[in-house]
């Protein structure tokens, strides 16, 4: 992973700063062909630390040098943006509101496959927006990084990609069991009326 003894590694901090700087530049410099103005102004951009990062440090807390990451974000945006924090429930709620069409709320769920954890959630619609409910069960599912680290422990040569793929294939049943065990604990997730699953996260993006 990107941590050593509960701290974000220097190379991980440098990589994050470069990525934020490049993305921020693209967002603020890309012009709208109709107006000639930037498509996004800094006031409409937020830089947010995911819930997986905030629980990746010692005893499920944030990395001990999290302030260094916040400083890197500020440098990368020319001092325009602060690094915001978000908890797991709010993160999944925003994902659901952005990914699941409102008319599917009672018939769908979301699975967010991250590096640090995997989160699930579903929305309950209502007659009034004031009583809409976002349900984010406290599932205990590893992210891709957790499975990757488990596989890496079995490898004599970390660069042996063929062996890594073989070990990954052998873990498919374990991943399936982990997901089934967690979903079965929460009636809202195992409800058969929820026939559509929306995937979010880096893995679905790559696919």
């Amino acid at each position: 992973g990107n941590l050593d003894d509960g701290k974000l590694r220097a190379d991980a901090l440098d990589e994050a700063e470069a990525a934020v700087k490049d993305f921020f530049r693209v967002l603020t410099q890309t012009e709208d062909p109709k107006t000639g103005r930037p498509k996004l102004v800094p006031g409409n951009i937020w830089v947010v630390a995911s819930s997986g990062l905030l629980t990746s440090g010692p005893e499920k807390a944030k990395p001990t040098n999290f302030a260094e990451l916040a400083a890197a974000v500020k440098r990368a945006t020319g001092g325009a943006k602060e690094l915001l924090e978000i908890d797991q429930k709010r993160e999944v709620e925003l994902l659901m509101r952005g990914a699941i069409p409102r008319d599917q709320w009672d018939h769908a769920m979301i699975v967010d496959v991250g590096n640090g954890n995997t989160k699930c959630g579903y929305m309950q619609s209502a007659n009034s927006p004031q009583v809409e409910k976002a349900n984010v069960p406290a599932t205990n599912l590893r992210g891709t990084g957790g499975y990757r680290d488990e596989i890496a422990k079995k490898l004599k040569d970390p660069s042996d990609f063929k062996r890594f793929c073989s070990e990954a294939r052998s873990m498919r049943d374990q991943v399936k069991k982990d997901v089934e065990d967690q979903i079965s604990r929460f009636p809202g997730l195992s409800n058969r009326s929820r026939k559509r699953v929306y995937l979010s996260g880096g893995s679905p993006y790559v696919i």
Side-chain angles (χ1 to χ4, degrees):
N2 293 319
L3 276 73
D4 280 334
D5 295 326
K7 294 178 62 176
L8 289 161
R9 297 197 317 270
D11 62 316
L13 290 167
D14 290 342
E15 183 180 345
E17 182 172 350
V20 171
K21 184 176 182 179
D22 185 57
F23 201 46
F24 188 75
R25 176 187 58 78
V26 170
L27 291 176
T28 55
Q29 292 184 5
T30 302
E31 293 185 350
D32 186 319
K34 293 182 179 179
T35 65
R37 294 194 297 269
K39 287 189 174 180
L40 283 175
V41 296
N44 291 337
I45 298 172
W46 289 265
V47 185
V48 182
S50 75
S51 61
L53 174 63
L54 296 175
T55 56
S56 62
E59 298 183 4
K60 294 292 183 179
K62 68 179 70 172
T64 54
N65 61 340
F66 183 80
E68 293 181 40
L69 178 62
V73 167
K74 198 161 188 175
R75 288 194 302 271
T77 59
K81 308 306 298 184
E82 300 283 348
L83 180 61
L84 305 177
E85 301 178 22
I86 192 169
D87 63 27
Q88 180 170 311
K89 182 174 182 180
R90 182 61 172 160
E91 182 177 358
V92 177
E93 179 184 354
L94 292 175
L95 281 170
M96 291 189 291
R97 291 185 181 277
I100 304 177
R102 184 177 289 268
D103 61 4
Q104 288 291 321
W105 277 6
D106 291 325
H107 310 290
M109 59 182 282
I110 198 164
V111 177
D112 176 33
V113 184
N115 180 68
N117 56 25
T118 295
K119 301 171 286 292
C120 305
Y122 60 96
M123 296 292 292
Q124 285 179 280
S125 60
N127 295 327
S128 166
Q130 282 71 39
V131 290
E132 293 168 356
K133 186 176 181 182
N135 294 276
V136 185
T139 54
N140 184 25
L141 287 168
R142 287 179 286 180
T144 54
Y147 290 108
R148 176 202 62 218
D149 292 345
E150 183 174 334
I151 293 170
K153 291 176 183 177
K154 301 177 182 179
L155 303 180
K156 293 181 180 179
D157 178 5
S159 65
D160 189 344
F161 185 67
K162 185 176 180 179
R163 176 68 191 282
F164 183 93
C165 291
S166 175
E167 292 290 345
R169 282 193 295 270
S170 71
M171 286 192 70
R172 278 189 291 196
D173 288 343
Q174 180 61 51
V175 174
K176 182 180 178 182
K177 181 178 183 301
D178 289 348
V179 173
E180 289 177 343
D181 285 350
Q182 289 295 307
I183 287 180
S184 67
R185 293 174 51 211
F186 302 98
L189 294 178
S190 56
N191 188 330
R192 292 185 180 274
S193 69
R194 299 189 181 278
K195 299 182 181 297
R196 184 169 296 186
V197 177
Y198 287 81
L199 292 176
S200 177
S203 298
Y205 174 79
V206 171
I207 294 171

